[in-house]
Amino acid sequence: MAEAPQPNSTFSRPAFFILTGLPGLGGAQAWLTLVFGPMYLLSLLGNGALLAVVHADTALHQPMFLLLAVLAATDLGLATSVAPGLLAVLWLGPRPVPYAACLVQMFFVHALTAVESGVLLAMACDRAVAVGRPLHYPVLVTKARVGYAALALALKAVAIVVPFPLLVARFGHFRARTIAHAYCAHMAVVELVVGDTRANNLYGLALSLAVSSVDILGITGSYGLIAHAVLRLPTREARAKAFGTCSSHVGVILAFYVPGLFSYLTHRFGRRTVPKPVHILLSNVYLLLPPALNPLIYGARTKQIRGRLLETFTPSRSRF
């Protein structure tokens, strides 16, 4: 079903591409469904439960928990944009994906990744204000401003990611129809293009550096302010409590950025040393691990959510 590109051969814009999953693993990649399947299930159950709890409990209609709900909705979208197709390819082998659907998936994967990074920055700023200026927090951070921030993040993601499918759609000829990847990543599709792809390469590199660098610098600065404020607290117990309120967010940040940066560095600088199946595996872990872990981290570390979840899912005892 999958064809290898032939020298000096080109194809007009195909009606569909063929996703191969992890090249070189053959039938062995079906075993990876035992890894990615539970990840996706945890993403659905965990983020769905968080959204349901925040929606049902009016006491949780506060900026911090509303930002968490935005993160959970983003995680649900990100995992769903990748996991069903990934699991189908791993279990059933190379699968066709319509040309238009490939571009749509490309848009949503990159856009939701940008939104998630922006939400983590917004959550870091929220914690910096809560710890550094607690008396002014109710005035500076309101539900309306959280809504505006979420809208701004969505609009920013659309604006910066729309060029990806448009830059691909301008090409009319391809070297092959087979994408050596598990989803329609921008650069994986660009590798098949016949023509000058410098604009795609430069825009992809510039966008990755700009978005990641700005958000990471903002998060680092926010936690620098948090550390400065916490270290000025008079007692060890107060400092421990303040750090404890931020520990879950730190875990979420590490779960998102560490595999993401490692995947990015291996793709840009380690092509000769890191096998392609390893790079593709890392890119899928990067997209599915945070949505699976985030609900567990917040459910375990946030007392209000943990208590509400236990109350919801623990059977009530009959009173006589």
Side-chain angles (χ1 to χ4, degrees):
M1 191 173 187
E3 83 283 5
Q6 300 297 326
N8 302 321
S9 67
T10 62
F11 299 88
S12 60
R13 181 178 295 170
F16 60 88
F17 290 111
I18 299 173
L19 295 172
T20 63
L22 279 69
L25 295 186
Q29 65 181 354
W31 291 100
L32 290 175
T33 57
L34 299 178
V35 176
F36 291 114
M39 278 189 186
Y40 184 45
L41 183 61
L42 281 175
S43 300
L44 293 178
L45 295 178
N47 290 294
L50 280 178
L51 285 171
V53 166
V54 173
H55 174 73
D57 191 344
T58 56
L60 298 180
H61 293 181
Q62 303 172 24
M64 182 180 77
F65 299 109
L66 293 177
L67 284 172
L68 176 57
V70 174
L71 180 66
T74 305
D75 281 337
L76 273 177
L78 184 60
T80 301
S81 67
V82 175
L86 167 66
L87 294 174
V89 170
L90 293 178
W91 187 253
L92 301 174
R95 308 296 295 170
V97 55
Y99 177 85
C102 186
L103 297 186
V104 170
Q105 184 186 46
M106 180 190 303
F107 169 78
F108 277 105
V109 167
H110 293 290
L112 290 170
T113 302
V115 171
E116 177 135 353
S117 182
V119 172
L120 293 178
L121 173 59
M123 295 175 76
C125 294
D126 171 78
R127 291 300 84 202
V129 176
V131 174
R133 305 186 65 181
L135 297 179
H136 299 89
Y137 178 80
V139 177
L140 295 175
V141 183
T142 64
K143 290 189 287 185
R145 288 179 177 174
V146 170
Y148 293 142
L151 178 60
L153 289 173
L155 293 176
K156 182 196 77 169
V158 170
I160 64 178
V161 174
V162 158
F164 276 154
L166 294 181
L167 285 170
V168 172
R170 66 194 175 102
F171 294 104
H173 293 85
F174 294 80
R175 295 185 179 90
R177 300 185 183 92
T178 301
I179 301 175
H181 213 295
Y183 63 91
C184 290
H186 173 244
M187 293 310 300
V189 178
V190 169
E191 289 178 356
L192 306 181
V193 165
V194 175
D196 186 355
T197 61
R198 284 179 296 181
N200 299 70
N201 295 327
L202 290 175
Y203 187 77
L205 178 61
L207 184 61
S208 297
L209 291 176
V211 172
S212 300
S213 299
V214 169
D215 291 347
I216 290 174
L217 286 175
I219 291 171
T220 302
S222 297
Y223 273 92
L225 294 175
I226 290 173
H228 178 71
V230 169
L231 293 176
R232 295 173 60 187
L233 294 176
T235 64
R236 179 179 298 178
E237 290 76 12
R239 292 193 291 271
K241 182 178 180 181
F243 276 125
T245 61
C246 302
S247 60
S248 57
H249 187 229
V250 173
V252 169
I253 290 171
L254 293 177
F256 180 74
Y257 282 109
V258 170
L261 288 174
F262 190 69
S263 176
Y264 174 80
L265 292 174
T266 56
H267 176 69
R268 290 290 177 181
F269 307 109
R271 291 187 177 184
R272 296 182 179 180
T273 57
V274 179
K276 191 166 187 176
V278 174
H279 165 67
I280 296 174
L281 179 64
L282 289 174
S283 68
N284 285 280
V285 169
Y286 163 56
L287 294 176
L288 291 176
L289 182 63
L293 289 184
N294 290 350
L296 298 178
I297 294 173
Y298 275 110
R301 297 295 303 172
T302 307
K303 183 173 69 172
Q304 295 94 322
I305 291 178
R306 184 173 65 247
R308 189 68 174 86
L309 286 172
L310 290 174
E311 179 183 337
T312 301
F313 294 104
T314 300
S316 57
R317 296 180 179 179
S318 302
R319 294 181 179 180
F320 297 95

